Structure formats: structure tokens, C-alpha cells
Amino acid sequence: MAESIAMAGLERQRLLPSSSSSDDEVTDEESNLDSNLDSVGPGDHTELECDSPYVEVRSAVANTDDPNMPVGTIRAWIIGLLWAIIIPGMNQFFFFRYPSVIIGSLVAQLLSFPLGRALAALTPKWTIFGMELNPGPFSIKEHVFVTIMASVGSQSAFATEVVAIQRVFYNQRWSFTYQWLLTMSTQLIGFSFGGILRRFLVSPPSMIWPDTLVYAALFNTLHHTQVAGSGDKYSMSRERFFSYACLLSFFWYFLPGYLFTALSYFSWNVVLNQVFGGIHGLGGSLLTFDWSQIAYTGSPLASPWWAEANVAVGFVFFFWFLTPLLYYTNTWYSEYMPINSRYSYDRFGNFYNVTRILDAANSTLDLDAFKTYSPLLLPAAFALSYGIAFAAISSTTVHAFLFFRQQIWAQSRMSLSEQPDIHARLMSKYAEVPDWWYGLIFLSQFIFGVTAITVWHTGFPVYAFMAALLLAFAYSLPVGIIRAITNQKVSLGVISQVIIGYWLPGNPLTSLLFKTYGNITMYQALTFTSDLKLGHYMKIPPRLMFWGQVWATCIAGTVQLCVQAWMFANIPGMCDDHQPAGFICPNTQISGTESIIWGVIGPRFLFSQGRMYHSLFSFFVIGAAAPFLPYYMDKRYHNTIWKYVNFPVIFNGVGWLPPASTINYISWAIVGFIFQFVIRRRHFAWWSKYNYVLSAALDSGVAPCVVLIFFTLAILRTCAHLEYRQLTGFSEQLFVFVDFNIRVMVRLVVTPFRNGGAILYI
């Protein structure tokens, strides 16, 4: 059993050299301690000295470097800054729309390649300020640098959502200066944390960061770079395989994404839906043929099987055993609500109307109105997800201490040149970023943050601001280790809101800001660190990476704020439930409601002694105690299945539900088992050559297809205002054929206006 699971790789990391071994040698004892290392024979140590000790890295990353290859060229800066404007702007625009289209870094990675080659072919060979305008062919390092600049600020900054919540929920329309200071401080303080922790999370070869391997494989595929683990058994080149798989993924997505959406998920009647429903049920139907559903929580081809197995076990226990047990015993009155839903409910079985408990004058809790209206009720799966989030926080802390305390202490005394693998030795040729650069970034952004929360009357004290940053920094290292090894993400969103909800209750903006600086700062730190690891693998000079990330972050955040300001000023009915173009701001509505639950109502009325959900606090104790079991069993019984049991992964892995649905987890685990366990064991040469390429190809095919469907086929669903004076209260759905040169099936949905009119969605 242990040998078969060992093929799945990527477990606890203990790469500390013993006193009897050289820095560049992987001993058999270390291999046994680190389940990410495959067993090696005496003759294999010399080979591993010239490459990574991890087969996953060897199969995706080249073990060579050309220090003279152009990187920070004029064209690379132009393309990178162009993406830093376009992609964040587009994503911010669609962030407020439902359904939304997210342009990820993968799209930038694909589009930058032909754009860079076109500039290499068309740009004259001139010299400007001593820099060549066209230094030759578009290099792989330029491509990586451009992609990192495109991705570093591509996602909507949570600070912009705070600004939107202030405007929509609390009618607070503060100046652009406040918005910019808030956004920059939240983004760049995380960047400084990531830079300070890079010696722990980037330099060690044990910090693999599996999701970066997919991008590395695609870079090497596009630029025809041979990697050591790709093998020669299969004749088809990786670039041709990528092309075929990408095209197939592109055309296939038209079926589950538009023409026959039942291939994505099924809906059943109420009884069957509780067991088989993929969205509001327990996912017993198991299958989906939609890659965007399968990879919703991350590509199953990127995470190691041992981690996916932990998540699958956690899902089965919590959502196929414990959730039905809670539901059918009517715990927390859960039988009166859907078994799995992302909404909260009142005592009448309706969606919770938070406006009924607010003091309209200052947007704080009206206690009498709250007592008169209703307590807040949560579906069984939703309530349980809070308990799991509590357990994830405590288990991460204890797990990191038990399994990594020696490594963390040792790494604090080691420099980059002392790392054993080939990639660290190749990177030692480049000048490292001085720590004081990151310290200067932190100091300047700390001043920005203090200015934002004090000059404008947020009610968020400076000492709470400092406590949030301390929380983010304290958890960045243990959570980063878990993510670097397992590809699983741990969020501090819930625990940060619980802390501030008890500490400073009654102010929703205080809750939002503490969550922003406590959770989002950590998230940004690990996002920047992941990019640093990609640069480490692809041999990008660290100082160039520093300036590229800083400039791209500043530009992206500014663009997002400008786009958001334009939208609220020029789109009628912005964030209204009946906004004709679909700009209903779903994420803003959810986060705004959470600000009332945790900021206005506060955990005192939900989780304190005698309250309905007080028992969920016991998950803190369960999470803290759980890591001791595999730690003790692994010490007692060496090299057994216990070394693969990882409770932070178990608890955190199911933390996406909600908003993820059960079908996302089931299909993810099935596909992961097929590729990361079965194929990896039985067809290792194929897996080594094509696995990460296939993951990138599936994503690359779906992304442009989603955009194409949205801007062509889905654009046919325009809304026309129809004045039905006598349709008050009338709403129906019917299917008709409409002729747009071709016969297409579209849905008509008539939604009434309060004044008697209606909107017809086509």
C-alpha cells in the first residue's frame, strides 16, 4: 500500500541535509521522510545533482539556463504593461456582471506568444537609450516576464469590492484618493510579505508550487524546450499534443457551455436533487463533462494524488455522511431549507432580508428590529462549512509546527547558495533583491494604509490595522508551505471576521477592512510568492521580477478603480437585481451581506454560548488535535499510509463549498485519480511527457471558447424593454426558435417591473 501511494508524490518536505551527506545529495533516509521524493538507487544521486529531486519538476522545468537570453526588453515591458491595463480592466468590468467572464493569466500567456513573435518579425533593429528595440527572436524568458506582469494584478482587488460595498450598502462615496491608498496598501503590503518570506517558500526545492508547473510546461511547449522528464517513448511532440488537445477542448466546450448544458450538470426533482443534485444536492450523480466544472477548484492534473485523496476523503465524510446526518435530524432547523445552498434564510423560510435589521441612519445593528424579525438560519452544508473553516485554521498551525518546525528554523539560517537543487544553483548567477527593498515597500504602504483608515472616518483603529497585518504575516509561512507542497489554499477570511466581530462589533466597515488586511494581504503574499517561484523555475533575474511586479500591480489597481468609477457613473441601475445588462454585482451582494452578518450582527448572536451555532466552535479544538494522530502514527510506523494523511488539506480542501458545488469535487477527484494515480503508475512515460501539457491545453481551449460564446452567441440574449402595463406580478419562461441566419434555441424570460413594465431577456 505504501509503495503504491508513494508514486503519487508531493507530501511532507524534509530536505535538510544530514551531517554525513553533501548538500547536493538526496539520501535514502530523506527520501523516506519526504513522500514527494521517488526512491533512488545509489547510482541515481549523480543524475539528481544535475536536476530537481522531484519528478514532477523534472517533467515540466528545464534544468538549463542561458544567462545571455534577453528578458527585460522594451517589447517585453510594452506587452506586459499593455496586459496590465487591458486584463485587469476587462476583469473588473465583468466582475460586476452575472454571468461573468474572467480573463486569466493563461489567456495572456497564449496571446503573448504570437504577439511577441510578431513584434520580433516587424520591429526594426534600432537602439533606443542603449537598448535594442528588437534583440532577436521572442525568447521564453521574455514570455515568462510578460505573463507574470499580466497575472500579478489580473484579478479584481478585494479593496475595490470594499469600495463598492460602501457605495451600494452604506451610501458612502469617498474620494478616489482614499480608494487608491486602500487598494495599493492591500496589494503591495502582501508583496512585501512575499518577498521577505521567499527564502522559505521559493528557494528550497521542497517548495514545489504544483500550479506553477502547468505554466512552466506550457512555456516549454510553446518554445520547444526539451525537459529532462519528458521522455522519448512517445513520438508525438508536446507542442503538437498541446495543439490537438487545445482544439478539441475548444470545440467540445460548445456542448456543455452552450448547446447542451445538461452535460455540465443535471437538475432533479426535490427528493432526488437532495442526493443526486450537483448544485443544491449532494452530488450523487458523480459525473460532469464540463472541464470548467471539473477544474473549478483547481486542475486535478496539477495537484498530486495524495492531496486529492485527502480532499476526497474529507468531502465524503463531511458532505456525504455528516451533512445528511445533520439535515435529516433537523439540526439547526436545516430540514426547512435546502440541504446545500449558498444563501441564508429567516424563520419564515425566505431569503434573509438584512435591510430589516439595519439602523438606516448609521448602518449599524438595530437590536430591537433584529429580535422582532428573525435569527439568521444557515443550510446544513453552509453551516458546516464554517466549522470546517475553523478547523482548517487551527490544524494548519499545529501541522506546520509538528512537521516543519525544524525545516523552518534551519531555512532561517540558510542562504540561496546553500540550496541543493540545480535551479537554485543556476539562479545564484543573478543578483538577489535586497531585503531592504521589500522593507521600503512595506513601510510606504503601511503609511498609505494608516492614512486611508484615519483621514477618512472608517472607524477602524490603527491598532486593529496592525493586528490584521500581524495575523496575515504569521499565517503566510505555514499556509504558504501547505500551498507550495499540496497546491491547496487556506483562507483566513472567516477567522478574521470572527476575530473582529467579537473585538469591535457593530461596524461593518471595520469588519471589511480587518478581513482585507488580514486575509487578502496573506493571499496577495502567496500569489506574489507563486510568481516568484515561476520566475525561479524559468530563471528570470529577481531584480527584474521585482520591478515588473511592482509596476504591474500599481497600474492594474489604478485601472480597476477607474473602470469601477466609470461603471457606477455611467451604467444605470448598477448593482440592482433587475439591471437589464446583468450588472447585478453578485460578489458585492454576497460580501456586503457577510459584512452585515459578521460586522453588524456579529458572531455574538451566532456562535456564542447558548446560540444556535455555538457547537461549530468545537472545530477549533478538533482541528488543533487532528494533526497529532498522523504525526504519532508516522513516528511509530515509518513509511506507511499515515505519512500521507494531512488534516489541513482535508479541512481546507472542502472549504470551497460553497460557493463550489458538490459536482465540482466529485468530478475533480475522479479525474485526479485517473491521471495522477492510475496513469502515473501504469504509463509513467506518457504522464511525464504529456500530463501538465494536457492540463494547460484543456484550460487554454475552454478560456477562449467562453469568451467567444459570450461575445457572439450569448450577446444575442440582449434585453429589450417591453411596456406591459398589465403584467404586474407576471413572470413566465418559454422556449421559442429565433432565426439569426441559423436556427438557434433561446430562452425567453419575462421579468416584471414594479411599475407594471417588464424586461424581456432573449
Side-chain angles (χ1 to χ4, degrees):
M1 174 69 74
E3 278 299 314
S4 62
I5 297 180
M7 294 298 295
L10 293 191
E11 172 44 307
R12 303 194 304 267
Q13 314 302 322
R14 298 181 189 170
L15 285 179
L16 302 179
S18 64
S19 57
S20 61
S21 62
S22 68
D23 286 348
D24 299 332
E25 189 177 44
V26 180
T27 66
D28 293 333
E29 180 181 0
E30 290 165 350
S31 181
N32 289 334
L33 287 172
D34 186 358
S35 60
N36 191 29
L37 290 171
D38 291 335
S39 299
V40 296
D44 296 328
H45 292 299
T46 302
E47 180 181 351
L48 291 183
E49 289 179 5
C50 299
D51 211 328
S52 171
Y54 299 96
V55 64
E56 285 78 9
V57 178
R58 296 198 299 271
S59 67
V61 182
N63 61 340
T64 59
D65 179 38
D66 179 5
N68 298 318
M69 183 180 293
V71 188
T73 61
I74 294 177
R75 67 186 176 207
W77 277 100
I78 291 175
I79 300 174
L81 294 178
L82 184 66
W83 287 137
I85 296 172
I86 295 176
I87 294 180
M90 292 183 64
N91 283 339
Q92 189 70 17
F93 183 81
F94 288 113
F95 176 79
F96 294 102
R97 190 184 186 280
Y98 183 82
S100 64
V101 176
I102 302 299
I103 310 299
S105 57
L106 184 62
V107 176
Q109 184 181 16
L110 291 171
L111 294 180
S112 297
F113 184 61
L115 183 57
R117 297 185 68 178
L119 288 178
L122 301 176
T123 306
K125 294 183 179 296
W126 296 345
T127 300
I128 301 178
F129 301 114
M131 296 182 64
E132 292 184 85
L133 194 61
N134 186 352
F138 187 61
S139 71
I140 187 173
K141 290 191 178 184
E142 289 179 287
H143 195 180
V144 174
F145 181 60
V146 166
T147 303
I148 289 175
M149 291 184 68
S151 64
V152 72
S154 61
Q155 300 295 323
S156 177
F158 188 78
T160 65
E161 189 168 332
V162 173
V163 172
I165 293 170
Q166 288 183 258
R167 183 184 186 112
V168 174
F169 279 77
Y170 308 111
N171 198 30
Q172 296 175 344
R173 304 183 181 186
W174 294 351
S175 70
F176 186 84
T177 303
Y178 159 79
Q179 300 175 25
W180 191 82
L181 292 174
L182 180 67
T183 302
M184 291 300 105
S185 61
T186 56
Q187 299 292 91
L188 289 176
I189 288 178
F191 174 66
S192 65
F193 285 177
I196 293 170
L197 296 174
R198 69 192 184 281
R199 59 174 49 88
F200 304 102
L201 299 176
V202 176
S203 301
S206 54
M207 301 294 104
I208 290 177
W209 295 88
D211 53 346
T212 65
L213 299 180
V214 177
Y215 291 95
L218 180 54
F219 281 124
N220 288 318
T221 297
L222 294 174
H223 292 268
H224 307 284
T225 302
Q226 182 69 21
V227 296
S230 59
D232 298 321
K233 180 178 179 180
Y234 295 92
S235 59
M236 183 183 295
S237 65
R238 294 179 9 144
E239 53 268 19
R240 178 171 294 184
F241 179 88
F242 172 84
S243 300
Y244 291 159
C246 183
L247 286 174
L248 181 62
S249 174
F250 176 86
F251 288 110
W252 170 258
Y253 187 74
F254 279 98
L255 289 176
Y258 186 78
L259 297 175
F260 187 41
T261 56
L263 292 173
S264 182
Y265 64 89
F266 290 89
S267 294
W268 308 77
N269 62 46
V270 174
V271 177
L272 289 177
N273 189 63
Q274 291 180 353
V275 178
F276 295 103
I279 302 299
H280 298 292
L282 298 177
S285 54
L286 298 180
L287 294 179
T288 177
F289 298 94
D290 183 349
W291 176 252
S292 65
Q293 293 276 16
I294 295 172
Y296 183 82
T297 61
S299 173
L301 277 63
S303 298
W305 166 242
W306 76 266
E308 294 174 338
N310 275 271
V311 174
V313 169
F315 173 83
V316 169
F317 175 77
F318 287 115
F319 293 102
W320 278 5
F321 171 72
L322 191 54
T323 295
L325 182 64
L326 295 172
Y327 182 81
Y328 291 111
T329 57
N330 199 27
T331 304
W332 307 316
Y333 303 101
S334 55
E335 274 193 321
Y336 297 97
M337 296 170 281
I339 192 171
N340 178 28
S341 173
R342 65 193 64 175
Y343 299 103
S344 57
Y345 295 83
D346 60 22
R347 61 191 175 94
F348 306 105
N350 301 318
F351 293 147
Y352 199 86
N353 186 358
V354 295
T355 60
R356 294 184 59 176
I357 64 171
L358 277 178
D359 184 340
N362 53 17
S363 297
T364 57
L365 176 65
D366 185 335
L367 188 57
D368 292 334
F370 173 67
K371 293 179 179 179
T372 302
Y373 173 43
S374 171
L376 185 138
L377 302 173
L378 299 173
F382 197 166
L384 186 60
S385 69
Y386 281 122
I388 296 171
F390 299 155
I393 296 299
S394 57
S395 65
T396 298
T397 304
V398 175
H399 180 91
F401 174 78
L402 291 177
F403 291 103
F404 299 105
R405 63 186 184 277
Q406 294 179 350
Q407 180 178 348
I408 293 172
W409 173 248
Q411 287 296 334
S412 66
R413 296 172 294 144
M414 296 172 66
S415 64
L416 182 66
S417 62
E418 294 173 312
Q419 299 306 318
D421 77 335
I422 184 63
H423 302 293
R425 293 199 296 271
L426 292 173
M427 284 297 292
S428 65
K429 300 176 183 178
Y430 302 101
E432 186 56 78
V433 177
D435 287 337
W436 68 267
W437 286 18
Y438 291 108
L440 188 61
I441 291 290
F442 172 79
L443 181 61
S444 62
Q445 300 311 307
F446 181 85
I447 295 173
F448 280 11
V450 171
T451 303
I453 65 175
T454 55
V455 174
W456 289 267
H457 301 293
T458 62
F460 187 50
V462 175
Y463 60 82
F465 170 58
M466 297 174 64
L469 296 183
L470 182 62
L471 176 69
F473 186 78
Y475 269 96
S476 291
L477 183 56
V479 171
I481 290 174
I482 297 297
R483 180 174 171 183
I485 297 171
T486 69
N487 205 33
Q488 300 299 319
K489 302 174 183 177
V490 176
S491 172
L492 297 179
V494 173
I495 188 63
S496 62
Q497 292 180 103
V498 171
I499 292 173
I500 198 64
Y502 276 115
W503 188 11
L504 299 172
N507 187 338
L509 187 54
T510 297
S511 176
L512 285 169
L513 292 175
F514 192 88
K515 176 183 177 181
T516 302
Y517 286 108
N519 179 48
I520 303 303
T521 298
M522 185 197 72
Y523 175 83
Q524 285 298 115
L526 299 185
T527 299
F528 283 120
T529 304
S530 178
D531 288 338
L532 289 175
K533 188 65 176 185
L534 179 60
H536 181 83
Y537 281 144
M538 305 306 294
K539 317 303 179 295
I540 307 300
R543 295 191 178 190
L544 181 65
M545 280 277 294
F546 175 89
W547 291 114
Q549 288 179 301
V550 168
W551 279 109
T553 300
C554 294
I555 292 174
T558 304
V559 169
Q560 289 174 348
L561 289 173
C562 291
V563 170
Q564 178 171 303
W566 180 89
M567 293 177 70
F568 276 102
N570 294 277
I571 298 180
M574 186 72 175
C575 294
D576 186 82
D577 288 341
H578 302 293
Q579 209 287 326
F583 291 100
I584 63 174
C585 311
N587 292 289
T588 303
Q589 297 291 343
I590 293 173
S591 297
T593 301
E594 286 185 347
S595 73
I596 296 177
I597 294 173
W598 296 99
V600 179
I601 298 178
R604 181 167 64 95
F605 292 101
L606 292 172
F607 301 103
S608 295
Q609 184 71 36
R611 301 297 179 178
M612 185 179 301
Y613 300 105
H614 174 70
S615 58
L616 290 175
F617 270 166
S618 62
F619 276 81
F620 279 115
V621 179
I622 295 173
F628 283 95
L629 177 61
Y631 179 76
Y632 171 78
M633 297 301 291
D634 186 37
K635 289 289 187 180
R636 186 179 179 91
Y637 307 103
H638 297 291
N639 203 28
T640 64
I641 193 174
W642 284 103
K643 77 184 220 176
Y644 300 95
V645 177
N646 190 305
F647 278 99
V649 175
I650 292 174
F651 292 129
N652 180 69
V654 295
W656 279 81
L657 202 157
S661 60
T662 51
I663 195 65
N664 301 134
Y665 279 95
I666 298 302
S667 57
W668 178 82
I670 291 174
V671 173
F673 174 77
I674 293 173
F675 282 90
Q676 300 294 75
F677 185 75
V678 176
I679 294 179
R680 192 181 190 275
R681 291 187 63 201
R682 300 183 180 180
H683 306 282
F684 182 76
W686 186 97
W687 180 93
S688 178
K689 188 171 185 177
Y690 298 126
N691 179 72
Y692 291 112
V693 177
L694 177 61
S695 178
L698 293 173
D699 288 339
S700 301
V702 169
C705 188
V706 170
V707 176
L708 180 64
I709 289 175
F710 179 80
F711 285 107
T712 57
L713 299 175
I715 205 68
L716 298 178
R717 295 178 182 176
T718 58
C719 53
H721 292 269
L722 302 178
E723 290 298 330
Y724 286 110
R725 299 292 183 183
Q726 300 179 356
L727 279 180
T728 304
F730 177 75
S731 179
E732 67 175 4
Q733 293 186 0
L734 62 155
F735 290 89
V736 297
F737 280 106
V738 182
D739 191 0
F740 290 98
N741 298 322
I742 58 174
R743 305 289 282 184
V744 295
M745 186 76 77
V746 298
R747 174 178 295 179
L748 290 177
V749 182
V750 178
T751 303
F753 279 144
R754 294 177 181 175
N755 62 1
I759 298 178
L760 177 62
Y761 294 97
I762 304 178

